[in-house]
């Protein structure tokens, strides 16, 4: 999706994460893991996506400092999104990665229900994120790089929304294997 810049940025992040994991075992504590990933992406990913993911992960780590139960993960997602909105200035409906992330967050709220099972809830969240990414195809860009481009030229889904959904799918597939 897009002109390739978003894909190159995410590929750079993926390579940096692969090298990091090969060099040392990632922290086992969830808050430390997210904080370490934030630092890595801020340093290696580049672009506005790197900054936004860094903000997201830094904020998402906070609810996980004192607990890591399933509701804490829903809280972490909400905290990450709130930080992205506060510092990035976008909102759901602006044709950005927030469209995918907010759709996933809504599904992840089910983690707060007693007896919630992680993988089915996460699978629903991924499907929601992917549907939201596809829905950006028909949105007017209100923020981000696409807001500088004529809407007549925006024929594909938002690259950031597609990438965020792909990241969530990768997390799901990693947990399933």
């Amino acid at each position: 999706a897009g002109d390739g810049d978003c894909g190159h940025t995410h590929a750079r992040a993926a390579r940096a994460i692969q090298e990091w994991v090969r060099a040392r075992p990632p922290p086992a504590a969830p808050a430390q893991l997210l904080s370490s990933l934030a630092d890595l992406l801020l340093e290696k990913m580049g672009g506005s996506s790197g900054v936004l993911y860094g903000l997201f992960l830094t904020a998402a780590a906070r609810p996980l400092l004192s607990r890591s139960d399933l509701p804490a993960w829903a809280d972490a997602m909400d905290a990450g999104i709130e930080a992205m909105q506060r510092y990035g200035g976008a909102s759901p409906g602006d044709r950005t990665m927030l469209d995918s992330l907010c759709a996933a967050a809504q599904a992840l709220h089910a983690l707060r229900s007693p007896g919630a099972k992680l993988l089915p809830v996460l699978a629903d969240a991924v499907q929601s994120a992917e549907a939201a990414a596809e829905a950006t195809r028909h949105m007017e860009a209100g923020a981000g790089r696409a807001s500088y481009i004529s809407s007549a030229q925006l024929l594909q889904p938002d690259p950031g929304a597609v990438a965020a959904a792909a990241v969530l799918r990768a997390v799901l597939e990693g947990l399933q294997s």
Side-chain angles (χ1 to χ4, degrees):
D3 63 5
D5 182 56
C6 184
H8 290 295
T9 301
H10 282 79
R12 190 169 41 250
R15 283 190 298 274
I17 291 169
Q18 286 174 329
E19 290 172 16
W20 177 62
V21 169
R22 276 194 292 265
R24 70 189 74 65
Q32 289 177 307
L33 175 64
L34 296 187
S35 293
S36 295
L37 280 170
D39 293 343
L40 181 72
L41 295 180
L42 285 166
E43 179 186 342
K44 303 283 185 180
M45 186 174 191
S48 58
S49 293
V51 172
L52 290 170
Y53 280 117
L55 289 168
F56 175 90
L57 291 166
T58 298
R62 287 188 196 111
L64 298 168
L65 283 169
S66 58
R67 58 191 237 278
S68 60
D69 58 358
L70 292 181
W73 285 97
D75 295 344
M77 185 74 160
D78 289 344
I81 288 170
E82 193 273 324
M84 286 179 104
Q85 288 181 292
R86 185 170 1 113
Y87 294 109
S91 298
D94 280 342
R95 196 180 199 275
T96 69
M97 68 173 79
L98 276 172
D99 292 297
S100 291
L101 293 173
C102 288
Q106 286 299 313
L108 290 176
H109 288 172
L111 293 175
R112 295 182 178 123
S113 300
K117 302 282 186 225
L118 175 61
L119 291 179
V121 171
L122 186 54
D124 288 344
V126 169
Q127 288 178 347
S128 295
E130 290 171 343
E134 180 57 33
T136 64
R137 177 188 305 268
H138 308 292
M139 289 181 182
E140 189 79 25
R145 191 177 204 180
S147 65
Y148 306 118
I149 300 169
S150 164
S151 59
Q153 294 179 308
L154 297 175
L155 305 175
Q156 299 295 319
D158 180 72
V162 171
V167 168
L168 292 171
R169 174 150 303 278
V171 169
L172 173 63
E173 290 173 358
L175 290 172
Q176 288 172 328
S177 63

